[in-house]
Amino acid sequence: MRAILPPLLDALDRAPVALARIVDRTGSGPRDTGSAMAVTASGTVLGSLSGGCLEAAVVATAEQVLADRGSALERFAATGEFGVGLPCGGEIEVFTEYLDRSALALLRELDAAVAAATPVALVTTLEATPDRTLLYPGDPRPWRHLDRDAAARLASGRDGIVGSEDTAGARPRAFVQVFAPPPRMILAGANDFTRALAVTAAQLGYHVTVVDARETFTTAARFPAAHEVVVDWPHRYLDAERAAGRLDGRTVVCVLTHDPKFDVPTLISALDLPELAFLGALGSRRTHDDRLARLRAEGVSDSAVARIHSPLGLDLNAHTPEETAISIAAQIVAVRGGGTGRALSTEAGPIHHRRRAPWRVSES
């Protein structure tokens, strides 16, 4: 939808527009969720949903939506003997909605946020008369009982459906379209624990970087789940990424090196960052105590040391790298979302409780 936002705003300023977006996809498909096509009142088509196989059907729906001033939700599956479908064999759900000048202010705000590279999500209920809002990281406003689920989508950097059709309007089914790069997870150290955590982090939607100065161990072949594998001293890499403006309040840094000459400088560099979602260091309690002594000897204050989650992970009695990765990931999710990390069976009240996440993307 990014690509059609400017022409969509121009067209909407003159006359109503029907906006069609892929809100769900299963299996193979020509385009991802969030892909958009708009049909103007004069019949001009902006964008594409399928590269040709569905466009005519969606245009016809858009014309009806413009006439009815409503919305339509359609599901397209594999092509049958008759009718319209997807030759690739997948299945997509397309939501087409009527937009008039009343939507201009919200869409202009969205366009400005996208231009400024500010993470934001456009949340649209899939109702006959859609409701819409923009959600920013750390936004405390409740909205249609969907804000926490939508915030989780924004934090993960991934589009998706929240809510349900079976809640009588209390939590309506809605599409969360995220306009932000995925959050980053930087893993310092090239070892088996890093390899396992890279897999788990990628599944959670993180853009994973593995960094280590040892060229022999730091190879893409050893870390197939990582998006980047960098041969460099981790502290030097963090400093360079900060200078380039590529770290923000959603960034997670985990130090997994078990070597003071790596982890102490890396932790010092990470603690110098103004905002991080999470900073952790793996190791035994003995390693933790030694690390703290070394950090204090370097002049790191007690308040700064308190920001480090160490020993890293929740108490799952984990032993293997894969179990340890689950322990670490669970702690990151709990800290990011304001959870307790305790068993739900020991807690009272709603499972999805409202707690403001202790991070917020920098406004700069």
Side-chain angles (χ1 to χ4, degrees):
M1 183 170 163
R2 293 173 189 261
I4 72 165
L5 256 179
L8 172 63
L9 287 169
D10 288 342
L12 191 56
D13 197 27
R14 295 190 295 271
V17 171
L19 174 66
R21 286 180 290 164
I22 298 175
V23 297
D24 195 17
R25 190 186 77 168
T26 303
S28 300
R31 302 289 301 279
D32 291 329
T33 55
S35 297
M37 184 176 79
V39 178
T40 71
S42 62
T44 301
V45 177
L46 308 171
S48 171
L49 290 184
S50 66
C53 52
L54 297 181
E55 258 67 2
V58 175
V59 167
T61 298
E63 291 171 345
Q64 189 62 51
V65 163
L66 283 169
D68 297 341
R69 300 189 175 191
S71 68
L73 186 63
E74 300 175 290
R75 184 168 289 273
F76 298 94
T79 307
E81 184 179 356
F82 305 102
V84 179
L86 297 172
C88 52
E91 188 172 338
I92 64 173
E93 196 169 10
V94 177
F95 185 65
T96 306
E97 58 188 303
Y98 175 85
L99 299 176
D100 58 20
R101 290 182 61 85
S102 65
L104 268 176
L106 181 139
L107 292 177
R108 281 173 175 159
E109 182 182 344
L110 174 62
D111 189 46
V114 171
T118 300
V120 63
L122 172 61
V123 189
T124 308
T125 61
L126 306 182
E127 299 173 300
T129 302
D131 198 2
R132 310 175 191 90
T133 192
L134 294 180
L135 179 71
Y136 297 90
D139 194 336
R141 296 172 304 151
W143 190 81
R144 302 290 302 269
H145 303 286
L146 298 170
D147 45 291
R148 284 193 60 80
D149 290 341
R153 284 283 175 187
L154 177 55
S156 73
R158 293 184 290 184
D159 301 337
I161 299 288
V162 298
S164 171
E165 294 176 321
D166 303 322
T167 54
R171 295 184 69 253
R173 194 163 178 258
F175 176 55
V176 183
Q177 183 163 7
V178 176
F179 295 83
R184 298 190 63 186
M185 185 179 293
I186 298 173
L187 306 179
N191 55 48
D192 289 342
F193 293 97
T194 302
R195 182 166 58 246
L197 184 53
V199 173
T200 304
Q203 291 172 338
L204 291 174
Y206 284 95
H207 180 93
V208 181
T209 301
V210 174
V211 56
D212 195 307
R214 301 170 298 172
E215 187 173 359
T216 301
F217 301 105
T218 315
T219 65
R222 291 193 68 217
F223 302 97
H227 301 89
E228 297 175 291
V229 178
V230 179
V231 179
D232 199 355
W233 286 86
H235 72 279
R236 190 165 63 184
Y237 176 77
L238 282 179
D239 291 343
E241 291 300 285
R242 176 188 181 182
R246 289 191 285 265
L247 306 179
D248 62 27
R250 302 177 302 152
T251 302
V252 170
V253 175
C254 292
V255 179
L256 311 172
T257 48
H258 291 88
D259 188 335
K261 70 175 180 290
F262 283 99
D263 57 14
V264 171
T266 303
L267 288 169
I268 291 174
S269 289
L271 288 170
D272 195 41
L273 295 168
E275 286 187 317
L276 280 179
F278 185 96
L279 174 60
L282 187 65
S284 66
R285 298 195 185 279
R286 184 175 179 180
T287 299
H288 169 71
D289 292 339
D290 176 70
R291 184 186 294 130
L292 293 187
R294 291 175 184 273
L295 287 169
R296 291 189 174 108
E298 293 290 334
V300 179
S301 68
D302 288 345
S303 60
V305 166
R307 294 174 54 198
I308 305 171
H309 296 274
S310 176
L312 181 57
L314 298 182
D315 179 14
L316 305 184
N317 197 25
H319 294 283
T320 68
E322 291 73 21
E323 291 174 344
T324 303
I326 297 299
S327 167
I328 295 169
Q331 185 180 25
I332 292 169
V333 171
V335 170
R336 188 187 69 189
T340 66
R342 294 191 290 267
L344 290 173
S345 61
T346 67
E347 297 285 284
I351 290 176
H352 299 291
H353 52 80
R354 175 173 295 282
R355 293 192 181 179
R356 184 170 180 176
W359 56 267
R360 183 177 177 88
V361 174
S362 172
E363 300 292 344
S364 59

